[in-house]
Structures are given as C-alpha cells and as structure tokens.
Amino acid sequence: MMDIKDFSELQEVLKGLNDDFFWRPLEADDCEKVSFYIEKIEETKTWINRNQEKGAILEDFVVMLFERFQGATVKKNIRIADNETDVEVEFSDVAVNEFMKRYMMPKIICECKNKARSSVDVGMVAKLAELIPLRESNLGIFFSINGIGGYGWRFGEGKRKKIFNKLRIPILSFRVEELRKLLDGKNLLTMIREKMNNLIDEVDDDSPDVPETSHTEYSRRMKQIIFHLEQCSLLSNEEALSIRTKINDRYGNIELE
C-alpha cells in the first residue's frame, strides 16, 4: 500500500492517474442505464405537451453521468432569485487532477435542453454565461438534442466563442447522440477535456477559413487541412499520420466523411 505523508504527495500521485480514476468507466449495468436514457430521450421527440417530463429525463441522465466523478456532489433544480439551474456539480478539492482544478473547480453548471426541433440559441448561451459567475462556477455545459445553433462566430456558436474570448468563461456543448461514445468505453472527463481544447484553440486560431454556412468541428477542419496538404504532396504519408494522431490525442477521434 502506498504511504502518502501529506497533501502535496497526494497531488503528485493524482498527476499520474488517468481519467478512469476520476470518472468511473461504465460497466455492463451502467451501459444498460445509459442506453435506456438515450433511447428514452430519442422517444421524447414525439411527445406533445410533456415538456416538464421531457426535461426531467434529460436532467436525470446528466445527474447519473456526473455522479460517476469521484467525490462529486450533484444537485438538481437550484433556484437563485428569478433564475434556476438544471444541474450543479461540485467537486472535492482532493479527487481532482490539474485539468479539473483549472477548469472544473469548484463546480460545473449544466443546462439541459430536451427540444427536438430547436437548438441552443444566443439567449440561452448568454443566460448561462451570466449564471456561471453568479453561482461561483468556472464552467458551463449544455446537454441537448441538437447542440448549439449557428456556425463560425455567428449566432449561438459565435456567442459562446465571443464570451470565452472576452470574459474567459468557457461554455461547452454535448448532443445526446455524442454520449453514445461512453458505451464504447469513452471517458466523460476525456470528452470534456477534448471539447475544452477545441474551444481554446478555435478561439485563438487566426486562420481565415472559418466556414461560411455551417459549423464544422475545429478538429475536423484541421484534418481536412492535413488531407489537402497530403494530396498536394506537401506532407508525406508518415508526416500526415503523425499529425492526425496528435489531433486525435488532443481533440478526440473525428473521422472525415
């Protein structure tokens, strides 16, 4: 058994642990629960006049996912004055790694939007950006069916990048469909880190080729550039493969269509 004498030694140990220590990967029974929620949320797309019930199902799903973080306290429907947050996740200052300490401490604010025909809009993004510091949080995450609307620096997608660029308040977004990756062994903490890396690097990117009509994931756009350079013989196959591997490691594996 490891003999840890003080908190600084514990922090050194935590640095060497992978994400599976901080967020427990799904086991067989857990996979069944995740599959149930995803299929149930898919079913709610046809529900009429059951908005409260639809919202509760997505909130329960998010609560279940975040309860898998070591030492996390997860609460639903916290009312602050005239506002309400769907899910708040507070983390212990012991069971966190450097990434969590920097971006996820002391808590995350999660907003759940179970709407089949609309995406997260500018107003929703702006409201979450106001709630994050109000609740002494450093990170906000949307969970929804269609994700954040807009592209480039326009509409909801543009608003979240402008907020991060000006205020350094990060807002991430998960579509429910993306969470199927958890069933294949993906770690939620890893996915959060990949999305944070995407946001940071895309906001700081000065390249001029931002899509004009639709949003393309930053990592996908980078892979398209690598593919083009390879086709033009400006990169060898080995050089292109090496760069693609680094892109996957930083942002997650997104295949070109």
Side-chain angles (χ1 to χ4, degrees):
M1 184 173 180
M2 186 175 296
D3 183 16
I4 299 175
K5 298 182 178 63
D6 55 35
F7 185 75
S8 61
E9 289 189 5
L10 174 60
Q11 291 300 100
E12 287 301 314
V13 171
L14 292 175
K15 288 180 182 178
L17 299 174
N18 65 24
D19 290 348
D20 288 350
F21 175 85
F22 302 96
W23 188 85
R24 292 180 290 112
L26 302 178
E27 298 179 357
D29 290 347
D30 304 313
C31 286
E32 290 182 8
K33 293 177 183 177
V34 169
S35 295
F36 166 79
Y37 274 115
I38 292 176
E39 298 309 320
K40 195 69 176 178
I41 292 167
E42 180 69 23
E43 179 187 319
T44 65
K45 292 180 179 180
T46 62
W47 292 3
I48 299 174
N49 299 326
R50 298 169 66 180
N51 291 340
Q52 187 172 357
E53 190 178 353
K54 289 168 62 175
I57 290 172
L58 181 52
E59 289 169 7
D60 289 343
F61 183 29
V62 171
V63 167
M64 188 206 81
L65 293 179
F66 277 95
E67 284 180 338
R68 302 190 68 79
F69 276 98
Q70 297 285 357
T73 301
V74 186
K75 299 178 181 178
K76 282 179 56 177
N77 306 128
I78 307 298
R79 178 163 291 280
I80 321 100
D82 294 332
N83 296 309
E84 183 177 79
T85 59
D86 292 336
V87 178
E88 294 191 7
V89 186
E90 294 188 45
F91 296 93
S92 163
D93 59 359
V94 176
V96 293
N97 59 20
E98 287 300 314
F99 173 82
M100 296 172 70
K101 185 187 299 184
R102 182 172 182 180
Y103 295 109
M104 299 168 65
M105 288 284 288
K107 72 172 68 171
I108 293 176
I109 305 298
C110 300
E111 288 296 295
C112 304
K113 306 298 180 184
N114 191 0
K115 297 183 177 182
R117 295 176 178 80
S118 61
S119 55
V120 176
D121 60 26
V122 171
M124 296 174 187
V125 172
K127 182 179 178 181
L128 180 54
E130 292 176 0
L131 285 173
I132 290 170
L134 182 65
R135 296 298 297 153
E136 299 181 339
S137 170
N138 286 316
L139 172 64
I141 304 179
F142 282 106
F143 289 87
S144 64
I145 291 178
N146 297 313
I148 296 178
Y151 51 89
W153 288 80
R154 300 182 182 183
F155 309 115
E157 176 61 28
K159 183 68 173 179
R160 82 175 186 110
K161 289 206 282 282
K162 290 173 185 176
I163 287 170
F164 184 69
N165 189 47
K166 182 178 180 179
L167 304 175
R168 304 319 276 185
I169 296 176
I171 294 175
L172 307 180
S173 171
F174 282 96
R175 291 177 292 103
V176 172
E177 190 64 26
E178 290 180 82
L179 299 172
R180 290 187 186 274
K181 294 178 181 179
L182 299 174
L183 299 172
D184 299 324
K186 192 78 172 183
N187 188 290
L188 181 61
L189 175 56
T190 304
M191 294 174 72
I192 291 173
R193 180 189 291 105
E194 291 168 353
K195 284 184 176 289
M196 182 66 73
N197 287 337
N198 266 282
L199 174 62
I200 293 169
D201 291 351
E202 187 170 11
V203 166
D204 292 340
D205 185 11
D206 293 328
S207 62
D209 59 341
V210 175
E212 295 182 357
T213 58
S214 62
H215 181 64
T216 300
E217 294 95 336
Y218 186 62
S219 53
R220 189 184 302 277
R221 185 156 60 92
M222 292 184 71
K223 283 191 173 182
Q224 290 170 343
I225 293 172
I226 299 306
F227 177 76
H228 177 69
L229 293 175
E230 186 180 15
Q231 293 295 103
C232 295
S233 299
L234 296 174
L235 287 176
S236 67
N237 292 338
E238 292 77 12
E239 290 170 330
L241 178 60
S242 176
I243 296 173
R244 288 192 192 98
T245 299
K246 292 178 180 179
I247 292 172
N248 289 344
D249 289 343
R250 184 165 178 81
Y251 306 117
N253 186 14
I254 296 181
E255 298 294 338
L256 292 179
E257 296 178 355

